[in-house]
Amino acid sequence: MRLKVAVLAGDGIGPEVTREALSILRAVAELGGHDFTFVEGLIGGVAITATGSPLPTATLDAALDSDAVLLGAVGDNKFNSLTPDKRPEAGLLQIRQALGGFANLRPSIAYPALSASSPLRPEVTKDTDILFVRELLGGLYFGAPRWWNKETNEAINTMRYTRDEVVRVARIAFELASKRRKKVTSVDKANVLEVSQLWRATVTEIAKDYPDVTLEHQLVDSMAMHIMNIPRNFDVVLTENLFGDILSDEAGVITGSLGMLPSATIGGAVNLYEPVHGSAPDIAGTGKANPLGAILTAAMVLRHSAGLEQDARAVEQAVHKVLEAGYRTADIARGGDSVQMVSTQQMGKHVHQALAESIDRRQSLHAV
């Protein structure tokens, strides 16, 4: 298997967690005999410092010439004085648009070993396995007109969707649900917003093409409560850009930390992969960052761009094994005497070792 990955480590803890994710991808390539090529590029604050742009042309060209893009994180408070279109985060929005991925996949899983890390009771989070499918190129984040008139103290953003935009992301959700537990929960605000009324009508129409998948609708405010009360009731959660951003971050409470959450953006010319957490500049360079979100993001690269499902599962199982063994970074360091605090790099090494043992065992079984 050949795979070319553009690596955009970005700002803050981005380079630290990306380094551990790359170590895992290289291990999979070496142990499985695959040919993975990695091309580095600048994005965000480091790109502004080096080139004056949050997304240099060279970075975008490298991304478009790759099979996948692995991104660490963007953002740094020292750029807050810049206008929004010049800040590090603008580079992220620009590359999302340029790559064309419209479906953002965000898993939220309750790891038994991390039950003490969640403020929710273990009996609430037990067996939770949610896949959020967030529409990523429409809604308030991209709708026009948008402006802030500081003289009149007035600002406006526009929530806008077309039927075709809803159709394409809905089909992704139903296809994924058909391979999981066959349930889609579509989240909107149809009791107030015309955009949500279009969303609900369109999703209902698309559901007819998937008779084996159950569809239910939830209003976003009630859904925010249900995720905290009955998270195991949900399988694939489909929603628009703003609601998906908020709800999937909220679901970090189930896992115990945003540092555990991976994501993949699919559907465009090149898939974009990034952990959900931000750049966390306050802990950059301290060795406290949790690399597991980035490592699980690497597993999504293997699944959705390389087509290596077995290897993707092996990475995920290695993460489970390391957590069961009691290894923790600072953000998930709860659980009593059985917990052993480790650094970013040490956590990556433990996952690497567990993965190598898993793949070696699998290869030995095949050889018998």
Side-chain angles (χ1 to χ4, degrees):
M1 170 65 199
R2 290 191 173 186
L3 189 73
K4 183 178 181 181
V5 181
V7 181
L8 315 181
D11 305 318
I13 64 172
E16 299 168 58
V17 299
T18 301
R19 188 180 305 118
E20 303 310 319
L22 286 178
S23 175
I24 295 301
L25 289 175
R26 290 192 175 102
V28 169
E30 180 181 352
L31 295 168
H34 305 299
D35 181 9
F36 291 176
T37 302
F38 303 100
V39 180
E40 295 185 357
L42 299 175
I43 192 171
V46 293
I48 294 172
T49 299
T51 72
S53 169
L55 181 63
T57 301
T59 297
L60 182 56
D61 289 344
L64 291 170
D65 189 46
S66 299
D67 301 307
V69 176
L70 178 62
L71 190 146
V74 298
D76 194 309
N77 292 334
K78 68 183 180 181
F79 298 104
N80 287 351
S81 61
L82 299 178
T83 58
D85 62 317
K86 302 295 184 183
R87 292 178 187 172
E89 294 79 6
L92 179 58
L93 294 178
Q94 290 166 16
I95 198 169
R96 285 175 178 173
Q97 278 191 306
L99 297 182
F102 56 83
N104 183 229
L105 313 183
R106 292 188 171 193
S108 183
I109 298 171
Y111 296 91
L114 293 183
S115 61
S117 295
S118 173
L120 300 177
R121 298 191 309 275
E123 62 268 28
V124 172
T125 61
K126 183 181 178 182
D127 298 328
T128 297
D129 181 357
I130 303 173
L131 178 60
F132 289 89
V133 179
R134 167 190 172 192
E135 201 290 324
L136 202 64
L137 294 183
L140 280 173
Y141 293 174
F142 292 99
R146 57 183 299 159
W147 43 261
W148 177 14
N149 189 325
K150 296 183 180 180
E151 293 182 358
T152 63
N153 290 320
E154 183 182 12
I156 185 169
N157 289 96
T158 302
M159 180 180 283
R160 177 186 179 276
Y161 273 105
T162 66
R163 179 186 179 278
D164 287 346
E165 288 173 324
V166 181
V167 166
R168 64 185 187 180
V169 73
R171 290 201 180 279
I172 294 272
F174 280 99
E175 290 288 344
L176 291 169
S178 68
K179 301 172 185 176
R180 289 170 50 96
R181 301 195 305 278
K182 301 184 186 305
K183 180 181 178 181
V184 170
T185 302
S186 180
V187 180
D188 57 42
K189 191 62 176 170
N191 60 334
V192 175
L193 302 175
E194 284 78 6
V195 168
S196 284
Q197 292 163 17
L198 167 69
W199 182 281
R200 181 173 292 205
T202 304
V203 172
T204 300
E205 177 186 343
I206 297 303
K208 296 175 183 177
D209 295 335
Y210 300 87
D212 294 336
V213 178
T214 300
L215 169 66
E216 69 173 2
H217 298 282
Q218 288 283 350
L219 296 175
V220 63
D221 40 1
S222 62
M223 186 64 181
M225 179 179 66
H226 291 326
I227 288 175
M228 295 295 96
N229 290 331
I230 48 172
R232 71 169 64 91
N233 284 16
F234 304 104
D235 178 19
V236 173
V237 175
L238 166 66
T239 190
E240 62 86 48
N241 208 343
L242 175 64
F243 299 160
D245 189 359
I246 295 170
L247 292 176
S248 59
D249 279 4
E250 179 194 17
V253 172
I254 295 168
T255 302
S257 170
L258 283 179
M260 292 295 304
L261 303 183
S263 82
T265 300
I266 66 174
V270 181
N271 292 342
L272 173 65
Y273 301 87
E274 55 180 312
V276 171
H277 63 71
S279 59
D282 56 318
I283 62 169
T286 66
K288 295 180 180 179
N290 185 347
L292 295 182
I295 289 171
L296 291 167
T297 298
M300 299 186 82
V301 173
L302 297 171
R303 173 172 291 119
H304 295 287
S305 284
L308 298 173
E309 176 63 27
Q310 199 170 18
D311 289 317
R313 290 184 181 180
V315 173
E316 292 162 349
Q317 289 165 1
V319 169
H320 275 272
K321 185 176 180 179
V322 167
L323 291 173
E324 291 290 344
Y327 296 110
R328 302 286 188 273
T329 47
D331 59 316
I332 51 174
R334 299 180 185 88
D337 296 336
S338 61
V339 166
Q340 182 176 342
M341 284 280 290
V342 295
S343 67
T344 306
Q345 187 175 14
Q346 289 170 334
M347 180 66 88
K349 287 182 177 179
H350 286 300
V351 177
H352 187 288
Q353 181 178 353
L355 174 65
E357 292 172 355
S358 173
I359 293 180
D360 283 346
R361 186 164 52 253
R362 187 178 76 203
Q363 291 173 339
S364 298
L365 290 172
H366 286 173
V368 172

